[in-house]
Structures are given as C-alpha cells and as structure tokens.
Amino acid sequence: MTTQTTNSNIELPSWPHDLYSDEVLADPWDTFRALRDIGPAVRLAKHEDAVALPRYAEVRAALADPKTFASGRGVTLNPMLNEFAAGSTVLMTDGEQHRQLRAVLMKRLTPRYLRPLAEAMQVAADALVDELVERGSFDAVQDLAVALPTSIVPDLIGWPRKQRENLLPWAAATFNLFGPPNDRSAEAMPLFAALNEFAHQIVDSGDVLPGSIVDDLLAAAHRGELPIEQCPMFLLDYMTPSLDTTISALSSAVQLFARHPEQWDLVRADTSLIPSAFNEIVRLTSPVTHFTREVTVDTELCGIPLSAGTRVLVMFASANRDERKWERPNDFDVTRDATEMLGFGFGVHGCAGQGLARLEGHALLESLAKRVTRFEAGEAQPALNNTIHALASLPITVCPAAGSRK
Ligand code: HEM
C-alpha cells in the first residue's frame, strides 16, 4: 500500500490490487475487510484512482447527499457506459428528471399494487416448492431461485413473450459492464448491444404486455411526459435489475440455511421471523456489491476532503459487514435487526423494486418453511460478475417435513 495526493492535496491511502479479479469476485469478504481496515476512503490505483468507500458511515452519508454524490454522471466504473447511459435511466439521473422517471416506475411497485400480487406469488412459490420437495434433490439456483422470479417478474414489467430466454444472459452482461473495462466487460458488449437493439424494437413496435410497467412508460411518453427516444434505455433500466439481484438473494438464502440449520429451525418455529431473516440474508450476501457516484463539487465526506470530479465506489456489500456498524458482522442471525442494512441502497435511489423482491423472498421462505426441515448443500459454483455477487449453481438435497410429500 502507498499513499497518493489527491487534487485537493489530501493524502489518501492507495490500494494496488484488482478489485475485480476472479478470486475477489468469488470470495470478496477478506478483501473488503482489508479495505475497511486501511481507511474510510481508499484510492483504487488499478481502477483509475476511483476512491473506494468501504465503511458503513461513509457509504450511507454519500447516498444521503445525491446533490454532491451524483448519479446523473453515471454509476459505473466504465467511462463508456457512463457516457452512454448517464442522464437516460432512473438509476443514472438526478433531481427532477430522476423524480419524474421514478414516479412512472413506482406506480406499479407500491404496496397497494403489489398486495394483489402476493397471493399469486405464494401460489407460484408453493407449486414450485411442492415439485422440488417431491424430487428431493435439485439445483437451488436454476431450479428454485431462477424459476420463481422468471415466472412472474417479466410479466409485471411487461417484457414481450419472445426473447425471454435471453433476459438472464443480457442482464448479467449489463451488470458486467458496470465494472471497470476488463475481459468480462469486453465479452459483455455484444450481448448488451443485442439487448439494446431489442429494447428499441419493443419501443418501435409497442409490443408490450398491457397493464404492465413498460405499458405505463410508453403511455407516459405518448402523452409527451417523457421523451420517447429515451424509452429503450428506461426499459433496460427496469428489466436489468429485476431478476439477477433477486435470484442471487434467493439462492444465497438456501445456502445460508443449509450452513446454519439452527437458524432454519428458528424460522420454521416462528415464520413471523421471515421478514427479518430476508433482511439479514440481503445484508450478509449483498447481491449488488457496489455502484459509483461522481462528486459534483469540492466537498468533505465525514471529514474526508474529496475534490469535484472524483469517482467514488459506494461499497454496499462491504458496508453491510462493517464491524464499526454491526456486532458479529459475519454471523447469520435471523433475529438481528438488519433494517439499516444498505443492500437495497439508501436515499432517493434506494431500490425501487425492493417491495417486489421482498414479496418473492418471503413467499419462497414461507413455502420452504412448511415443507423442508433441512437443506444439505453440495459444492457451490460462484457466478463471476463485475457487479452481482451470486452463485451459478448450488446442489441441494432437502429433508421433507412430515406430510409434505404427496
Ligand atoms: C434482492 C433483490 C435486489 C437487490 C439486492 C437490489 C439492490 C439495489 C440497489 C443496491 C439499488 C441502489 C442503486 C443506487 O443507489 O445507485 C437498487 C436500485 C434499483 N433497483 Fe433494485 N435490487 C433488488 C431487486 C430489484 C427488483 C426486483 C427490481 C424490479 C423492478 C429492482 C429495480 C431497481 C431500480 C429500478 C433501481 C433504481 C432506482 C433509482 O435509481 O431510483 N431492484 N437496487
């Protein structure tokens, strides 16, 4: 580790390693701990001297001040993607423009709209878990965590029925592009281009499911409330974060309960713990590891001077394990109050789909709690992605609860 002088002549520690190597992506926790130990703000020499914020207090403070820590100049470490997408997605806009775009999206994601979906979600989760328990052994990623969101979310968003088989590869590619320019992001480019082209086709043809989020978006554009030429980007904005994130959380949930059977016993004995268990799962596994912000004016963040133009890495996952914030941060404890975790972000850009993600997570855990007493896990394979911390596969064998097999 060396120290470097920033534009504002303040010395920040500098870290020389690749935060996006295969090893770090597969198991990032020791690296995050090392960064937290170095300091509250650490220059990433390998990544254009972006300033990493690995601790809870600074991450939360940056998210709470969107004027100074802007999203409208891009939230990725990839300058090309920042230029392409900034100012044209919910995620990458600021102020009034962001408020307006978010209002269209949120219309169908409020608790009032989601409530009727809860029943359909539970029915889908029950049917899926019935089938898997009958089988006994299955892959918790493909057969369980992928199956539930992909059966419900694309309809809610309004994605046409064709090309659905491409949704997951396209979403993974987009999240790879959020990282720094590296091999993974280079490989992602053609897939992102195909997704972009399909989004243009959807907007041109108006081929979306009636009564869906994208239907609302196109209607607002046709009323002149939004520029129609930006609609393809908004569409990516809705689709990309709605699947991989939740799939990661659901598969991690099974892995955690396989590793910690005593926590599963607690949930089975008292299913009112499910909402707090889901928060704890998102805290501990943080499907979205980090996004970035650009500093708009010379400023101080928790006493650290940062100059205008600095790109900061807002490390949700590291903050969620900061020992300054959490007692026993690496322990999985379903009774912990994890409501202040930052796995869904915080502030004006806080996850627009968290109500939906919770609905999916709660339904699945309810179904499993009734039907499964134990999960036995085989060897998991990580899915290496520049932004999403996830598993590619997780072989699972379940012990069924009495009477849960037909
Ligand atoms: C466990 C599942 C999920 C996790 C961990 C997660 C995580 C996050 C995080 C950390 C952010 C903050 C981004 C920032 O501050 O720059 C975010 C924003 C967002 N999420 Fe999620 N997300 C999940 C599920 C979903 C779902 C199901 C949707 C479906 C619609 C969704 C849509 C969005 C959108 C549109 C934004 C941008 C909001 C804005 O900029 O105003 N997410 N998510």
Side-chain angles (χ1 to χ4, degrees):
M1 188 188 60
T2 56
T3 52
Q4 280 195 4
T5 306
T6 69
N7 297 344
S8 48
N9 294 328
I10 299 302
E11 291 201 333
L12 286 181
S14 174
W15 191 71
H17 308 291
D18 183 359
L19 194 54
Y20 294 83
S21 67
D22 288 2
E23 297 71 29
V24 175
L25 294 185
D27 187 1
W29 308 113
D30 287 349
T31 301
F32 293 170
R33 166 91 208 231
L35 285 168
R36 288 195 299 274
D37 286 348
I38 292 171
V42 182
R43 283 204 173 269
L44 299 174
K46 255 264 170 346
H47 306 303
E48 308 283 332
D49 265 351
V51 173
L53 305 176
R55 297 184 186 170
Y56 183 93
E58 290 73 20
V59 170
R60 187 166 158 137
L63 295 174
D65 181 2
K67 275 195 177 151
T68 313
F69 295 88
S71 296
R73 302 175 186 189
V75 300
T76 84
L77 268 186
N78 185 324
M80 196 197 63
L81 184 63
N82 284 344
E83 194 166 327
F84 180 72
S88 59
T89 67
V90 179
L91 192 62
M92 301 197 214
T93 40
D94 296 317
E96 182 52 25
Q97 193 192 4
H98 169 254
R99 199 201 53 72
Q100 212 183 343
L101 287 176
R102 188 167 162 119
V104 177
L105 170 64
M106 285 309 291
K107 201 176 135 196
R108 287 184 197 269
L109 291 172
T110 58
R112 191 163 73 87
Y113 270 97
L114 288 176
R115 218 164 287 129
L117 192 66
E119 204 177 313
M121 189 75 79
Q122 196 61 62
V123 170
D126 286 350
L128 176 65
V129 173
D130 275 344
E131 187 209 318
L132 294 175
V133 169
E134 190 62 28
R135 258 203 255 168
S137 295
F138 53 89
D139 188 278
V141 180
Q142 296 308 323
D143 301 332
L144 182 77
V146 168
L148 185 65
T150 50
S151 70
I152 293 199
V153 177
D155 282 353
L156 181 72
I157 305 275
W159 199 259
R161 301 223 184 266
K162 62 186 171 201
Q163 300 272 18
R164 288 203 176 176
E165 68 284 5
N166 286 324
L167 279 176
L168 292 178
W170 284 345
T174 308
F175 278 123
N176 269 329
L177 277 176
F178 275 45
N182 61 12
D183 288 350
R184 256 181 296 278
S185 53
E187 278 169 27
M189 271 310 290
L191 290 173
F192 182 72
L195 168 61
N196 193 26
E197 191 187 317
F198 188 58
H200 276 88
Q201 280 173 25
I202 293 175
V203 173
D204 292 346
S205 65
D207 174 18
V208 297
L209 300 187
S212 63
I213 291 176
V214 179
D215 197 24
D216 290 345
L217 175 82
L218 294 183
H222 289 306
R223 287 193 305 269
E225 293 165 22
L226 305 166
I228 188 85
E229 61 279 6
Q230 283 189 359
C231 285
M233 281 309 288
F234 301 149
L235 220 146
L236 308 194
D237 207 17
Y238 297 175
M239 205 59 240
T240 311
S242 67
L243 292 173
D244 289 32
T245 49
T246 319
I247 291 167
S248 159
L250 300 182
S251 31
S252 295
V254 176
Q255 188 179 42
L256 282 169
F257 285 122
R259 284 182 181 161
H260 303 278
E262 79 294 347
Q263 297 297 313
W264 187 235
D265 287 343
L266 290 175
V267 169
R268 292 197 67 231
D270 177 4
T271 51
S272 73
L273 283 173
I274 286 176
S276 95
F278 191 67
N279 266 346
E280 175 69 345
I281 290 159
V282 175
R283 179 191 74 82
L284 203 58
T285 61
S286 297
V288 177
T289 43
H290 20 254
F291 284 161
T292 72
R293 297 291 193 265
E294 192 175 301
V295 179
T296 53
V297 288
D298 290 353
T299 190
E300 276 200 7
L301 177 72
C302 306
I304 309 153
L306 293 168
S307 43
T310 303
R311 186 150 292 274
V312 294
L313 190 70
V314 180
M315 300 183 70
F316 307 112
S318 179
N320 279 340
R321 295 207 187 194
D322 184 358
E323 19 318 270
R324 291 152 199 82
K325 166 71 183 170
W326 309 99
E327 274 176 34
R328 302 171 288 107
N330 297 318
D331 287 4
F332 178 47
D333 177 357
V334 295
T335 65
R336 182 199 297 272
D337 178 2
T339 43
E340 293 192 344
M341 60 91 184
L342 300 175
F344 286 116
F346 175 73
V348 292
H349 286 278
C351 180
Q354 60 185 288
L356 177 60
R358 288 182 202 281
L359 208 64
E360 297 173 66
H362 296 179
L364 196 68
L365 292 178
E366 279 284 348
S367 297
L368 290 166
K370 276 186 245 146
R371 295 164 176 82
V372 173
T373 57
R374 280 287 176 273
F375 302 96
E376 280 160 28
E379 197 180 334
Q381 292 301 323
L384 302 182
N385 185 282
N386 282 339
T387 307
I388 301 293
H389 182 246
L391 297 173
S393 68
L394 175 65
I396 281 287
T397 300
V398 290
C399 302
S404 64
R405 271 195 169 139
K406 285 175 202 151

